[in-house]
Every structure is written in C-alpha cells, then in structure tokens.
C-alpha cells in the first residue's frame, strides 16, 4: 500500500466514523482531516471536496463487490 492509498484509506475511515456521529452537512473538510490525523492541505492533495471523497469510497466498494 502506498502512502497515497494509506491517506485515502484514513480519510474514508474518518468519514464513516463521523457519519455515525452527525449529518453529512455538519461534517467539514477540516474535521475530516483532523479525525484522519492528517493536515487539511493533505486532504486537498487527494480530493477536491468531501463529495469527491464519498464518491471515491463508493467506487472502491463497487470494485470490491465486483471482484
């Protein structure tokens, strides 16, 4: 697993955990990054916004299910 994959994985896990606690509209990029243990600027190296992170998570899930 590359550092990039590891960071994306941490962000996906953080998103899932935060969604268990609050609504989508109340989750911000700063909070996601903090929860994942990365800098906010690092988030933006991987994703443009939280919607893109969510889409990437669904894409990975789809690949897993089809494999």
């Amino acid at each position: 697993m590359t550092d990039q994959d590891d960071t994306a994985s941490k962000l996906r896990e953080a998103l899932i955990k935060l969604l268990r606690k609050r609504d989508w509209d109340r989750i911000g990029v700063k909070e996601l990054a903090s929860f994942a243990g990365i800098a906010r600027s690092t988030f933006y190296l991987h994703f443009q916004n939280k919607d893109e992170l969510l889409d990437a998570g669904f894409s990975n899930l789809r690949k897993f299910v089809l494999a």
Side-chain angles (χ1 to χ4, degrees):
M1 180 178 283
T2 66
D3 288 342
Q4 186 173 8
D5 292 337
D6 187 44
T7 300
S9 179
K10 286 179 183 179
L11 285 165
R12 285 191 301 271
E13 289 175 24
L15 179 59
I16 290 167
K17 289 177 183 176
L18 285 169
L19 282 169
R20 290 180 181 154
K21 295 181 174 193
R22 62 181 51 90
D23 294 333
W24 172 256
D25 293 334
R26 297 193 64 215
I27 298 171
V29 170
K30 183 178 179 182
E31 184 179 24
L32 273 166
S34 177
F35 217 81
I38 64 166
R40 195 169 128 235
S41 59
T42 303
F43 175 94
Y44 288 112
L45 289 174
H46 298 276
F47 303 101
Q48 291 183 8
N49 53 47
K50 67 181 186 175
D51 294 309
E52 193 173 282
L53 169 61
L54 183 64
D55 290 343
F58 281 120
S59 178
N60 284 345
L61 178 60
R62 201 172 12 257
K63 288 176 190 176
F64 176 77
V65 169
L66 293 175

